[in-house]
Amino acid sequence: MTALLDLFTHEHDESAIGYMRRLALKNGYSSWKALLRACGVKPSVRAVLAEREILATALGLDPAWLEAFVPADDKPVCVSDPQFARTTSDPVCPSCLQSGAYVRRVWGHALITACPEHGTTLLDHCPNCGVELQQSRHDIAFCGCGFDLREAHTQPASLGHLWISARLAGDMRDIIGTTELGSEADYLRLADLLYMLAVRFDSAQQTRRGKVAVPKTINEAIALLTPVATMLESWPGRFEQHVRDRLQAGNPNVFNLTGRLGAWYINLSRQCLNPSAFAPVWQAFSNAVIDQFEGNLRGKNGLTPSLDRKQRYFALTEAARLIGTTREHLRVAIQRGNVSSHTTRKGPSYTLALIERAEVERIVRERAEWTSVSEAAETFAVPPATINYLVKAKLVEADQDWKGCYLKGGPIRTQSIVEFAAQLNTRVRPSNDDSVLTLSQLNGRRTTDAGAILRLYQAIGDGTLCPVREDTTGQLSGFGFSESEVMPILGSVALSDGLTLTKLESITGWKYEALSFWTNNGYLSATETLIHGRATRVVSNAALADFRRTWIPISDLARSLGTKASAMSQKAVSMGITIHGQCLLASGTKRGGLIAMADLARLIS
């Protein structure tokens, strides 16, 4: 067969049928169909799809080139998709014909209406005779009436239609005023997405894709695609509004996306999620659903909204999780009218309620005013025990039954602690006292008097005990109280590092009579305080350390030398060392002698 033909090289972007038309014209055949008959192939576009191997052999065509026009079934398709192939109409771009009188492959796609190269609408009717241009005409550059199509004038294409035609043609050049809907790989299936959106654009019509014919003319294609093209020119705003309109028009008694949006949603999700493609389209859809849909989004339906978009409605379980309460507490609050909700569906024994984000945020704000003991302690930089003391002294507001209230996130009202701190700052009385105890140190870890710590905090609350140091951090840790003022109220609680005289006697072996004499006469510093309602003298560790640096009891020296205290006293006097701090008992016995550390040092030196 090839020996009978005057063959010439085809163009890289030429359609197979167009090439055969030129071959037929060059070799004297009446039409491309006559050429196909001579090759033993049925003379139709559909037949070419099935007989491409025979055709390639008969005409000596490059199988790879023919494959581009008629791809294998398992390969991605775009302009070569058989379901969108034009079978009769033969649109052209006059400007393209001027540069080469052959049929471009992309002109054969039923949804391509414009030339991306020249920005004009394709021409499918002769401007001279008005007849539709058919694939059966003999010369590609001329109408059957003889009019030279290269001289025809065409109209500029809209941005939306220009973008659609460019991406369907595989042209990825930027088109100002439009936005990409996906990647170049996604656009291999762009025709399916556009066709679905177009034929189902009117939500009032229950249109099935198979019932709508693929457009045969340029005007039909423009009419079908214009609603979609218009959305593309204002993407994503118009598309999101389109989704919201569909949600509004759907059955309000249906609370899921499939039931509300029907086949349109099923087809869109199939196009965008199986496999994942057209991410901007699905994101715009997700944004509209998150903003508008008052139904149940259990599992979020694979939605991928923008980071700045927030879900508007929440099911009861999810709302309870966000709020930090139980589903049952929230349900009861709704029944009592304390929480506003939207009922999406009722059944014989159930009600499905959704709570709007604004209501959830309101509850969260109110719950934040109440906090746990541990969170309050961390916020105000004090131990949890301090918060508990404030609660027991009724200096801050607390509710031990808070768990039963959906509006409380804990037992402590945070603002009441803030108000207590502000009140303390107004009571600060600066002092030069170096012995200052912070609020955190006013605890009862070593006390046996449970009421002492409570009386201390009550004294702070009623102003009997005022801070001598203010807090400038907005917390509680900075408040300081004079140790000399705390001890009479707190007793051993404030001096957890101190000892009573009785305890000191048992530890050191010093006689109580001697200890009492030393404290009364200034040898050993002690503070009198109340423990279990009884006056008690307490020696702090600091005071004890100061005493040991200044004095050494004769009884300690005697014990270390294995002799008696009386013998040690006599020896010290014989050496010219003065004995201090001795008390005279009723029996005439002297007890509690002290030797100054300085005297011992001089003796050694």
Side-chain angles (χ1 to χ4, degrees):
M1 178 68 190
T2 56
L4 303 177
L5 292 176
D6 183 1
L7 292 176
F8 50 86
T9 304
H10 57 76
E11 302 293 339
H12 73 282
D13 59 345
E14 186 173 11
S15 75
I17 297 298
Y19 177 63
M20 292 175 206
R21 289 166 64 183
R22 290 205 295 150
L23 276 179
L25 180 64
K26 184 73 172 177
N27 289 274
Y29 286 92
S30 60
S31 67
W32 64 274
K33 292 184 178 182
L35 176 63
L36 289 182
R37 290 192 190 95
C39 295
V41 177
K42 186 178 180 180
S44 69
V45 175
R46 300 295 182 188
V48 171
L49 308 183
E51 304 292 343
R52 55 177 176 266
E53 292 183 2
I54 297 175
L55 187 62
T57 301
L59 298 179
L61 299 176
D62 181 0
W65 174 76
L66 193 58
E67 182 76 11
F69 173 71
V70 189
D73 294 337
D74 59 344
K75 292 186 178 180
V77 294
C78 188
V79 296
S80 302
D81 190 342
Q83 67 177 321
F84 293 109
R86 288 190 170 107
T87 57
T88 57
S89 177
D90 191 35
V92 298
C93 170
S95 297
C96 289
L97 289 180
Q98 291 174 12
S99 61
Y102 63 91
V103 178
R104 275 62 173 176
R105 184 186 309 124
V106 298
W107 295 346
H109 195 288
L111 301 185
I112 292 181
T113 62
C115 173
E117 184 67 32
H118 301 102
T120 56
T121 300
L122 296 181
L123 185 72
D124 66 349
H125 284 73
C126 175
N128 181 53
C129 66
V131 174
E132 182 182 14
L133 301 178
Q134 298 287 325
Q135 295 179 4
S136 59
R137 73 180 193 279
H138 202 53
D139 195 326
I140 293 170
F142 290 87
C143 174
C145 70
F147 179 76
D148 189 342
L149 297 174
R150 291 169 291 190
E151 302 299 326
H153 297 284
T154 54
Q155 297 297 320
S158 71
L159 289 178
H161 286 289
L162 189 60
W163 184 92
I164 290 174
S165 297
R167 297 302 179 261
L168 287 175
D171 187 340
M172 295 300 295
R173 287 176 292 182
D174 290 339
I175 298 178
I176 298 175
T178 60
T179 305
E180 297 301 330
L181 301 186
S183 66
E184 187 172 1
D186 295 341
Y187 293 151
L188 293 175
R189 298 291 180 181
L190 179 61
D192 287 331
L193 175 65
L194 295 174
Y195 189 62
M196 186 280 293
L197 292 175
V199 299
R200 298 183 184 277
F201 187 81
D202 187 353
S203 60
Q205 295 182 356
Q206 299 298 321
T207 306
R208 295 182 62 184
R209 172 173 170 165
K211 299 297 183 180
V212 179
V214 173
K216 292 181 172 59
T217 67
I218 295 296
N219 285 339
E220 288 179 4
I222 290 176
L224 176 67
L225 294 173
T226 291
V228 178
T230 302
M231 289 194 302
L232 294 175
E233 293 171 8
S234 296
W235 187 272
R238 286 189 179 178
F239 179 72
E240 290 183 10
Q241 185 58 50
H242 177 64
V243 176
R244 287 192 286 268
D245 291 342
R246 298 188 79 96
L247 288 169
Q248 189 69 26
N251 187 346
N253 295 320
V254 177
F255 64 94
N256 58 68
L257 288 176
T258 302
R260 182 70 66 88
L261 296 176
W264 183 89
Y265 165 69
I266 295 173
N267 280 274
L268 181 67
S269 61
R270 184 181 298 130
Q271 294 285 344
C272 296
L273 299 181
N274 298 314
S276 179
F278 302 107
V281 176
W282 190 249
Q283 184 177 75
F285 169 77
S286 301
N287 288 341
V289 170
I290 288 294
D291 287 344
Q292 180 72 24
F293 188 49
E294 76 283 12
N296 192 1
L297 293 176
R298 185 179 294 111
K300 296 296 189 300
N301 297 81
L303 298 179
T304 57
S306 304
L307 294 177
D308 60 338
R309 297 297 182 97
K310 296 180 179 179
Q311 185 175 342
R312 184 176 177 184
Y313 295 96
F314 298 99
L316 206 58
T317 300
E318 187 173 9
R321 179 184 62 80
L322 293 172
I323 291 170
T325 187
T326 65
R327 186 181 186 279
E328 181 61 20
H329 285 155
L330 199 55
R331 184 189 64 79
V332 172
I334 291 174
Q335 288 182 340
R336 293 175 178 174
N338 298 326
V339 174
S340 61
S341 66
H342 174 79
T343 302
T344 60
R345 187 171 183 177
K346 289 186 176 180
S349 59
Y350 73 92
T351 299
L352 181 63
L354 295 174
I355 303 178
E356 197 165 356
R357 171 173 290 277
E359 182 70 353
V360 172
E361 291 176 345
R362 176 189 70 83
I363 298 172
V364 170
R365 284 194 302 271
E366 293 195 29
R367 282 178 62 85
E369 296 178 6
W370 291 77
T371 186
S372 67
V373 171
S374 59
E375 289 174 344
E378 182 178 356
T379 301
F380 294 95
V382 292
T386 300
I387 300 298
N388 286 326
Y389 294 144
L390 293 173
V391 172
K392 291 178 182 178
K394 298 183 179 179
L395 301 182
V396 297
E397 186 177 348
D399 181 3
Q400 300 306 320
D401 297 326
W402 65 274
K403 290 184 179 179
C405 180
Y406 71 98
L407 286 176
K408 294 180 179 178
I412 310 296
R413 190 170 73 88
T414 307
Q415 185 60 29
S416 67
I417 302 180
V418 174
E419 293 167 356
F420 170 72
Q423 186 181 54
L424 282 186
N425 268 324
T426 64
R427 296 177 178 175
V428 174
R429 297 185 306 190
S431 171
N432 295 325
D433 192 345
D434 292 333
S435 299
V436 175
L437 298 173
T438 65
L439 194 62
S440 299
Q441 293 175 309
L442 305 184
N443 56 68
R445 287 179 299 175
R446 297 187 183 180
T447 184
T448 57
D449 187 356
I453 190 69
L454 181 59
R455 289 194 297 271
L456 174 67
Y457 277 85
Q458 288 173 339
I460 294 174
D462 61 25
T464 303
L465 178 63
C466 295
V468 296
R469 189 173 68 194
E470 66 178 337
D471 182 279
T472 59
T473 64
Q475 300 172 324
L476 294 176
S477 58
F479 289 112
F481 298 85
S482 172
E483 182 178 348
S484 61
E485 294 181 3
V486 168
M487 289 172 59
I489 305 172
L490 189 60
S492 63
V493 179
L495 298 174
S496 57
D497 60 343
L499 300 168
T500 63
L501 297 188
T502 303
K503 188 67 173 178
L504 190 57
E505 178 187 28
S506 67
I507 292 174
T508 64
W510 304 335
K511 299 300 183 182
Y512 184 88
E513 296 88 346
L515 289 170
S516 180
F517 184 81
W518 294 342
T519 57
N520 290 337
N521 290 274
Y523 294 102
L524 176 62
S525 178
T527 302
E528 187 171 292
T529 187
L530 292 175
I531 297 180
H532 298 293
R534 297 174 57 186
T536 304
R537 283 174 290 181
V538 177
V539 178
S540 68
N541 288 340
L544 182 59
D546 184 63
F547 173 79
R548 296 305 298 263
R549 284 193 298 269
T550 306
W551 308 102
I552 181 169
I554 291 178
S555 59
D556 286 357
L557 287 173
R559 191 179 303 113
S560 64
L561 295 175
T563 185
K564 293 183 177 181
S566 56
M568 195 70 209
S569 297
Q570 292 175 2
K571 186 173 182 179
V573 171
S574 67
M575 297 176 66
I577 298 176
T578 303
I579 306 300
H580 304 271
Q582 284 185 323
C583 62
L584 184 63
L585 302 181
S587 62
T589 304
K590 292 182 179 180
R591 181 169 290 172
L594 300 172
I595 295 177
M597 296 292 288
D599 291 341
L600 283 178
R602 281 193 296 271
L603 182 64
I604 295 172
S605 61

